[in-house]
Amino acid sequence: MNPIAGLTDLMMSDTPHGPGDDTSILTKTKSKTQRPPLYKVMLLNDDYTPMEFVVHILERFFGLNHAQSFEIMLAVHKKGLAVVGVFSYEIAETKVAQVMDFARRHQHPLQCTMEKE
């Protein structure tokens, strides 16, 4: 018997020969990606901010056309508040800050808030 051949046979018996010879099981955990929570941006009614200013805010900061802006402005006026849009936290926060800053610079008490959907 060739000693090198015997050693080779011994070594090969301890190692798998192909993909089907491996007896260990590999499991791969697949994590589900969750969507970030969304936030409603709302305008609140007051007795001092002109309706035209609210329409302008909706067109400028929310990209709504004049008819959509007018409809939401009337909802704010009649119901006391209206949801203007639903966004991720960062976008909602930015829009609230933009509206509040713009209203203050134009000396209007318009309130804009956000809450988790």
Side-chain angles (χ1 to χ4, degrees):
M1 176 172 163
N2 183 348
I4 295 178
L7 184 58
T8 305
D9 289 341
L10 180 62
M11 289 175 58
M12 292 189 71
S13 66
D14 290 341
T15 57
H17 297 289
D21 293 341
D22 192 2
T23 57
S24 63
I25 298 173
L26 297 177
T27 58
K28 186 174 182 180
T29 305
K30 187 173 182 180
S31 61
K32 287 189 176 182
T33 305
Q34 288 185 329
R35 292 198 175 268
L38 296 176
Y39 291 80
K40 298 184 284 189
V41 174
M42 299 170 291
L43 286 180
L44 307 175
N45 189 37
D46 65 72
D47 294 330
Y48 303 101
T49 304
M51 292 179 175
E52 297 82 23
F53 185 77
V54 175
V55 169
H56 179 70
I57 289 274
L58 294 168
E59 290 173 346
R60 180 173 178 160
F61 295 108
F62 296 94
L64 302 174
N65 65 36
H66 187 76
Q68 293 168 321
S69 299
F70 191 81
E71 190 176 316
I72 291 174
M73 176 275 299
L74 283 180
V76 171
H77 181 71
K78 291 178 182 177
K79 297 177 183 176
L81 72 110
V83 175
V84 181
V86 179
F87 309 96
S88 68
Y89 180 82
E90 292 80 10
I91 293 173
E93 185 179 49
T94 299
K95 292 200 179 281
V96 168
Q98 288 173 328
V99 169
M100 295 295 290
D101 181 57
F102 192 75
R104 297 301 158 265
R105 283 190 282 131
H106 289 85
Q107 299 177 341
H108 295 298
L110 181 66
Q111 294 293 305
C112 185
T113 64
M114 62 186 262
E115 71 178 36
K116 199 170 188 177
E117 188 175 48

